[in-house]
């Protein structure tokens, strides 16, 4: 759990983060979005004290972050950044082992942890362990970067535009993987991004920052339908709003009994946005829903989806 | 390693050098035409081998000492507490280089006397700048994401220096050492004007007695050692840089 309490950061006369309070519950994913220069990175880096707050305090699991030396605090907090920051002179395994090594884990435990993480990120340990970062693709480097951040089993993971350098397809995959791993480990995540779609996809809650202040901190649906200010309204994208709303829901939510006649089937876990797009593309009013084994279990209708895309009364 | 033409040439040069140092008389017929009719063709006022060894020894000692000091200095001025001394340390190292080595020798002799010492001092001062500049370059051009990660992982200042910054700067520092070493090899020859036992003795003896054979053998030995050590250090540098996945910075 992360509690940010009335935190302010000033550089000279310039107030970069202005009296921000945020709370991220254990096992939740909170995303910070906002325009460039709004103080997102500064806020994030105050959590692991790469930047010291001018005012206010930050608690992790109820403990003030200033209660221990900064370097010890950082070993307990995962940190993944844009451009991954892997050590080029260390192998993949050595990179991942960085914090466990600093924390004095024994050899066998480190080795086991490295292999476990590589497997978790779908990197065959035997294949990747002894490579150097230059011998990896951008997507692989990024995965190793996140694996390194998680190596010492931190309760909290901080991520600053971790997927910023990836192409859209790899990025979507990386986001799915993150959610998957977050669920498996129960780690609390605070993530900064520029990308509203990414925020909607990953965040249990989203903090919108402008000029150093958090103007709204809410779950994605609330952000879409009840934006607190014009700025938030603009940021969530007037034109894309119905589609973003749909992307938050799944076919499961609107599935009805009965079988649609024909059409490419969808699964209960398919997002409504995708199902909607499929219907438009196939020119159909309804699509069959099938389970993982391919057996028909119901249908989803265009009209039902459209209702969910409309502004709630 | 593949046996390329260049490798063969280096090997031949090394074998010839060793042969000349251990059995110079073998080469007498070759050098005879260059010496006067009554002068010796092979340097006979001392052992070529021991002159070569002390020449190399003086060069290594001076370069090593300069490397230790330069790198230490570069580390200090790139820490938070030392950053204000960066401009000052740069100027001091620069002054070291603008002083002609002959002038350093001339100034040092009255203080430390004749012999090896003034030569060591001149070479040492000369080697400071290239190593210092390269160490600075290496320590200040690390990718910012790597620095950020090292701090964010919870490395202490010392751990960041020894585990990340110095290893990454190593190939660039090595390039500075190579430059300094090769310059010092050449410059060491003038050390013999203040009685340092270097291969300069052979060249000066040749000049004094108009014996081209002496001048040539002194010069060629220095040149071959310079080329071979330049190559060897370059190879070491490339190997280190390859491991880091980044090319060594040319100087
Ligand atoms: N060390 C510093 N000294 C002075 N000003 C700083 C410092 N670090 C950041 N700032 C200023 O603080 C403001 C916020 O910076 P920050 O990096 O937090 O923005 P950001 O929201 O992460 O932007 P981006 O989306 O472009 O990454 C900027 O105006 C920046 O110039
Ligand atoms: Mg930022």
């Amino acid at each position: 759990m992360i509690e940010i309490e009335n935190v302010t950061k000033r550089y000279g006369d310039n107030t970069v983060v202005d009296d921000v309070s945020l709370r991220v519950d254990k096992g939740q994913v909170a995303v910070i979005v906002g325009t460039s220069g709004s103080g997102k990175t500064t806020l994030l880096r105050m959590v692991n004290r790469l930047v010291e707050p001018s005012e206010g305090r930050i608690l992790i699991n109820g403990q003030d972050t200033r209660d221990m030396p900064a370097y010890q605090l950082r070993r307990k907090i995962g940190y993944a950044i844009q451009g991954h920051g892997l050590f080029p002179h260390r192998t993949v395994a050595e990179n991942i082992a960085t914090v466990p090594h600093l924390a004095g884990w024994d050899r066998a435990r480190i080795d086991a942890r490295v292999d476990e993480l590589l497997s978790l990120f779908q990197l065959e340990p035997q294949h990747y362990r002894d490579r150097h970062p230059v011998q990896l693709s951008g997507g692989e480097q990024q995965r190793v970067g996140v694996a390194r951040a998680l190596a010492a089993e931190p309760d909290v993971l901080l991520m600053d535009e971790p997927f910023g350098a990836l192409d859209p397809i790899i990025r979507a995959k990386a986001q799915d993987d993150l959610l998957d791993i977050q669920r498996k480990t129960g780690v609390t995540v605070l993530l900064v991004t520029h990308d509203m779609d990414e925020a909607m996809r990953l965040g249990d809650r989203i903090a919108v920052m402008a000029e150093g202040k958090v103007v709204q901190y809410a779950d994605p649906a609330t952000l879409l339908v009840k934006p607190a200010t014009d700025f938030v309204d603009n940021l969530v994208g007037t034109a894309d709003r119905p589609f973003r709303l749909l992307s938050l829901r799944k076919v499961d939510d609107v599935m009805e009994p009965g079988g649609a006649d024909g059409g490419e089937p969808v699964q209960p876990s398919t997002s409504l946005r995708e199902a909607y797009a499929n219907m438009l593309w196939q020119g159909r009013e309804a699509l069959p829903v099938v389970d993982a084994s391919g057996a028909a279990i119901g249908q989803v209708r265009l009209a039902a989806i459209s209702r969910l895309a409309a502004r709630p009364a | 390693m593949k046996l390329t033409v260049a490798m063969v040439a280096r090997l031949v040069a090394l074998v010839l050098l060793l042969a000349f140092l251990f059995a110079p008389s073998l080469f007498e017929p070759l050098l005879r035409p260059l010496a006067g009719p009554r002068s010796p063709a092979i340097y006979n006022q001392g052992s070529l081998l021991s002159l070569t060894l002390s020449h190399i020894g003086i060069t290594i000692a001076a370069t090593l000492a300069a490397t230790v000091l330069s790198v230490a200095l570069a580390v200090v001025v790139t820490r938070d507490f030392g950053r204000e001394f960066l401009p000052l340390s740069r100027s001091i190292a620069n002054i070291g280089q603008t002083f002609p080595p002959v002038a350093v020798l001339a100034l040092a002799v009255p203080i430390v006397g004749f012999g090896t010492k003034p030569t060591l001092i001149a070479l040492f001062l000369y080697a400071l700048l290239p190593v210092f500049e390269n160490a600075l370059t290496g320590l200040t051009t690390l990718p910012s994401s790597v620095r950020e990660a090292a701090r964010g992982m919870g490395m202490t200042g010392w751990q960041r220096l020894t585990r990340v910054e110095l290893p990454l700067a190593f190939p660039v520092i090595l390039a500075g050492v190579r430059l300094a070493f090769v310059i010092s090899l050449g410059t060491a020859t003038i050390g013999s004007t203040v009685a340092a036992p270097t291969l300069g003795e052979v060249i000066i003896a040749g000049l004094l007695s108009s014996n081209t054979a002496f001048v040539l053998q002194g010069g060629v030995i220095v040149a071959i050692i310079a080329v071979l050590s330049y190559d060897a250090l370059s190879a070491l540098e490339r190997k280190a840089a390859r491991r880091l996945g980044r090319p060594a910075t040319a100087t």
Side-chain angles (χ1 to χ4, degrees), chain A residues 45 48-51 70-72 74-75 77 79-90 95 98-99 101-102 132 134 148-149, chain B residues 142-157 159-160 162-168 240-246:
Chain A
R45 294 175 83 229
N48 62 359
R49 288 177 58 196
L50 287 169
V51 174
Y71 70 90
Q72 271 175 21
R74 292 179 196 138
R75 291 177 191 175
I77 299 179
Y79 188 50
I81 50 180
Q82 176 164 21
H84 61 74
L86 293 177
F87 303 133
H89 59 305
R90 301 263 182 96
N95 264 287
T98 305
V99 183
H101 190 71
L102 291 173
H132 279 264
V134 278
R148 180 176 67 173
Chain B
L142 301 180
S144 59
S145 64
V146 171
R147 284 173 182 285
E148 173 81 359
R151 240 155 71 79
M153 299 283 109
M155 290 191 180
T156 61
Q159 288 166 338
R160 293 200 298 273
T162 54
R163 300 183 187 189
V164 178
E165 299 182 27
L166 283 178
L168 286 178
R242 243 199 323 274
R243 259 181 60 82
L244 303 187
R246 80 180 216 191

Side-chain angles (χ1 to χ4, degrees), chain A residues 11 14 16 35-42 161 194:
Chain A
Y11 287 110
N14 190 10
V16 172
T35 44
S36 189
S38 55
K40 305 182 295 292
T41 296
T42 308
E161 303 189 30
H194 266 127

Side-chain angles (χ1 to χ4, degrees), chain A residues 23-79:
Chain A
R23 182 192 153 112
V24 189
D25 285 328
K26 187 165 169 35
Q28 294 253 299
V29 180
V31 178
I32 308 173
V33 292
T35 44
S36 189
S38 55
K40 305 182 295 292
T41 296
T42 308
L43 181 60
L44 188 82
R45 294 175 83 229
M46 282 194 280
V47 177
N48 62 359
R49 288 177 58 196
L50 287 169
V51 174
E52 295 286 356
S54 311
E55 279 169 33
R57 58 175 200 162
I58 298 177
L59 310 179
I60 289 182
N61 296 336
Q63 199 185 10
D64 194 318
T65 50
R66 280 168 306 192
D67 284 354
M68 62 177 90
Y71 70 90
Q72 271 175 21
L73 172 76
R74 292 179 196 138
R75 291 177 191 175
K76 294 178 193 294
I77 299 179
Y79 188 50

Side-chain angles (χ1 to χ4, degrees), chain A residues 261-308:
Chain A
D261 44 348
E264 191 83 10
V266 292
Q267 298 203 341
S269 62
T270 310
S271 85
L272 284 187
R273 183 183 189 150
E274 199 181 325
Y276 187 64
N278 286 351
M279 281 183 209
L280 292 181
W281 187 245
Q282 295 172 35
R284 290 179 186 277
E285 297 290 318
L287 288 179
V289 181
V290 299
D291 64 13
S293 66
I297 52 174
Q299 64 164 341
V300 54
R301 290 184 309 113
L302 190 65
I305 297 184
S306 302
R307 260 201 306 283
L308 287 179

Side-chain angles (χ1 to χ4, degrees), chain B residues 126-143:
Chain B
Y126 245 61
L128 283 178
L129 186 68
V131 183
F132 180 68
E133 285 283 4
N134 276 44
L136 267 191
T137 308
L139 289 172
T140 53
T141 57
L142 301 180

